Amino acid sequence: MAYVNYYDKHHQQQQQQPICVINPSHFHPFYQHQQPIRLINPIQFHRFLLHMEEKRTQSLIQFMTGEGLVPSQEEELKRKDVILKLKQIVMEWIHRVSWQRQLTKEHILNSSATILTYGSYGLGVHGSDSDIDALCIGPCYASMDEDFFIVLRQILESRKEISELHCVKDAKIPLLRFKFDGIAIDLPYAQLKVMSVPENVDILNQLFLTNIDETSWRCLSGVRANMRILQLVPNLEKFQLALRCLKLWARRRGVYCNLVGFFGGIHLAVLTAFICRLFPNASGAALISKFFEIFAYWPWPTPVMLEDMIPPMNAEHSLMPIQFPSGTHEYCRSNFTKSTFKKIRIEFLRGHTMTREILRPDFEWNILFEPYPYTKQHKRFVRIFIATTNQNQFGNWVGWIKSRFRSLLLKLEEVQGQCDPNPTEYIDVDEASPNVVFYWGLQPGRSGFTDIQSVEKYFRNYINNGYQGYKGRLEISIVESSQLPKDAQSDYETGKESNGYWTYHGYIQPRAPIFSHYLPHYFVGYAAAKPAMDYPSSGF
């Protein structure tokens, strides 16, 4: 494979350099007049290196714990309890659905559906404030439109532990979004062509994927990718430590947001798993160092693959092709652009510079995670202001615009050359209306950019195409770094990180009563009186 040849060549060159000088007096007259040097036993030296690596790994664990990235035991138990209760609710739901379908008593008794977790929680790299991505998998007779979005929703609404429940019906990955005992849950639905779904269903088995619909396939892909990664990594604890570390690095350095062309969770998970497989015996600290060493000089667009498979044919059309780890010939969905690709590579090189001497006595992990200095790197910014006077429609309007940010980024690259889209969301406190503000850095040295009006006009036309909901305010302007608010001028993250989905702000959509198609006089719940708008997600 291409990556093996690259790796071998790179490290053969490195190995030609001597690791230590056994008898330095043979090489330079300077040493002939110095005190005798005690020779180091190679075995002792190797043990010393292993000891230092272990110390660096322990200091990394302490650093991550100090940053609050490792949930407490109580928080872990609460999440497990939430998943258990959610599984019980889903079982109650499928029994009710099978009864509504007038199945036999035996079928009703044996009916089953299940919940599988994925994303950061599924990989075991979630933080204290992370949400839970959980997939509901049901049998062939449980429909999405009626049974999932109406019947299950009705059951969830009746539970006192559930709050802020919303339907996201027309996204690429439809889902129910709610809080369960204060923990945010994203719950999509997949329908298998079976009469009952066992709790431990093996969705990597191709038999379960036969003839399923496209939406179910997309929903299952995230779970299948997680399961495959967990199967392929040689040491789960080391993988989880490295991935937690790299996600923090990506957030602090402004390269973690698939919505604006940077990494999503699946991209970092695959890249981290790739390094773990390449160096199965490396310590946690060494894995971080090797991650930056390998990808700082990776020959893109050579694809990164966890398994020895034939690359998809469209590799040349992606700047950073990363193969989806579920046995399919496809790449992880991404929004990389020329600007974001360049910044990612610069950050890889910086990370390599920071970590190539992790055994140095004065090495500190915090230097790797220093927040990206936007105001030092950019003197001028594109200010994107989004607001509505109607709070009920704020989430819809913001979500629609954010889902189309890539088009704005490409336009800015076309007229400006390069753009650095800061994923962090800020709020203009001087505005009375609900609002969110983004500040995207413009290319240094290009001060002649004054045609922002044409960019705004282009983007307005783009977002108006197909949108039928309430339209709020959108303002795009150029500001100097000195004009940024104090929280945006600080190196530290004081805004809210943008994610792939939109948020809701208490919007209650009109709903109409719905009766079962199978029992015409049986009331099943309420559904939206008008269909929701289509807000594409950023992809897994």
Side-chain angles (χ1 to χ4, degrees), residues 215-406:
T215 299
S216 295
W217 175 270
R218 283 198 299 265
C219 292
L220 285 164
S221 64
V223 186
R224 296 177 72 238
N226 268 38
M227 293 177 68
R228 193 69 186 123
I229 289 173
L230 294 177
Q231 287 179 351
L232 290 171
V233 294
N235 186 301
L236 181 58
E237 290 186 3
K238 291 180 181 179
F239 165 75
Q240 290 172 333
L241 172 62
L243 184 53
R244 281 186 191 276
C245 171
L246 292 167
K247 287 181 71 173
L248 177 63
W249 161 79
R251 287 193 176 98
R252 291 280 177 86
R253 301 304 297 176
V255 291
Y256 191 82
C257 182
N258 192 27
L259 200 66
V260 293
F262 293 116
F263 289 126
I266 185 61
H267 303 114
L268 285 179
V270 173
L271 295 182
T272 304
F274 178 83
I275 297 300
C276 289
R277 283 171 59 79
L278 205 57
F279 303 96
N281 298 318
S283 65
L287 287 173
I288 301 301
S289 179
K290 292 298 183 183
F291 176 91
F292 291 112
E293 178 185 345
I294 295 299
F295 291 119
Y297 302 104
W298 186 263
W300 305 105
T302 301
V304 175
M305 299 180 291
L306 293 185
E307 301 176 82
D308 190 6
M309 300 175 62
I310 300 174
M313 296 301 295
N314 61 340
E316 66 276 7
H317 300 302
S318 175
L319 293 168
M320 298 184 69
I322 301 171
Q323 192 165 25
F324 208 67
S326 59
T328 57
H329 295 274
E330 60 179 322
Y331 289 118
C332 303
R333 291 189 295 271
S334 62
N335 291 315
F336 302 124
T337 70
K338 292 180 180 179
S339 292
T340 59
F341 175 62
K342 179 178 180 180
K343 180 174 180 178
I344 289 171
R345 296 196 70 180
I346 290 173
E347 290 302 321
F348 278 154
L349 286 166
R350 175 188 177 273
H352 177 44
T353 302
M354 298 289 107
T355 60
R356 63 186 172 187
E357 296 181 3
I358 60 170
L359 301 185
R360 220 176 45 233
D362 59 342
F363 178 84
E364 297 288 344
W365 282 109
N366 62 298
I367 62 172
L368 177 64
F369 303 101
E370 290 178 352
Y372 186 80
Y374 284 98
T375 53
K376 293 180 181 178
Q377 295 293 331
H378 307 285
K379 300 303 180 184
R380 306 168 77 242
F381 292 80
V382 174
R383 179 179 185 268
I384 307 165
F385 175 83
I386 310 169
T388 62
T389 55
N390 185 339
Q391 173 121 10
N392 290 339
Q393 295 288 355
F394 179 70
N396 291 343
W397 177 239
V398 173
W400 177 265
I401 294 176
K402 286 166 59 178
S403 68
R404 279 145 176 77
F405 264 172
R406 187 174 189 272

Side-chain angles (χ1 to χ4, degrees), residues 459-475:
F459 191 57
R460 282 184 180 277
N461 291 335
Y462 185 79
I463 61 175
N464 287 337
N465 184 21
Y467 185 70
Q468 300 176 0
Y470 175 88
K471 295 179 181 178
R473 292 167 58 191
L474 170 65
E475 299 173 3

Side-chain angles (χ1 to χ4, degrees), residues 41 67 78 91 125 145 223 265-266 303 315 321 328 366 377 380 390 396 421 425 440 473 499 501 505 517:
N41 186 304
E67 292 291 326
K78 182 178 180 180
M91 288 299 292
V125 294
D145 289 339
V223 186
I266 185 61
T328 57
N366 62 298
Q377 295 293 331
R380 306 168 77 242
N390 185 339
N396 291 343
E425 299 179 4
W440 292 1
R473 292 167 58 191
N499 57 41
Y501 293 101
H505 295 260
H517 292 298

Side-chain angles (χ1 to χ4, degrees), residues 476-519:
I476 302 178
S477 57
I478 303 292
V479 296
E480 301 293 329
S481 58
S482 59
Q483 297 175 283
L484 267 60
K486 290 184 178 180
D487 55 349
Q489 289 185 22
S490 171
D491 284 347
Y492 291 90
E493 302 163 302
T494 53
K496 175 185 174 184
E497 182 181 318
S498 175
N499 57 41
Y501 293 101
W502 52 102
T503 55
Y504 292 84
H505 295 260
Y507 176 49
I508 302 177
Q509 192 172 6
R511 295 192 291 165
I514 300 296
F515 294 87
S516 173
H517 292 298
Y518 302 90
L519 296 172

Side-chain angles (χ1 to χ4, degrees), residues 29-37:
F30 169 78
Y31 293 104
Q32 296 175 3
H33 304 287
Q34 304 304 309
Q35 303 243 340
I37 298 176

Side-chain angles (χ1 to χ4, degrees), residues 15 53 65 74 94 102 116 174-175 184 198 211 217 220 293 298 303 319 349 366 390 392 404 413-414 419 489 532:
Q15 290 170 1
E53 282 190 9
T65 304
E74 292 76 15
I94 200 61
Q102 302 183 14
L116 296 179
L175 53 86
N211 298 324
W217 175 270
L220 285 164
E293 178 185 345
W298 186 263
L319 293 168
L349 286 166
N366 62 298
N390 185 339
N392 290 339
R404 279 145 176 77
E413 287 183 353
E414 177 186 325
C419 181
Q489 289 185 22

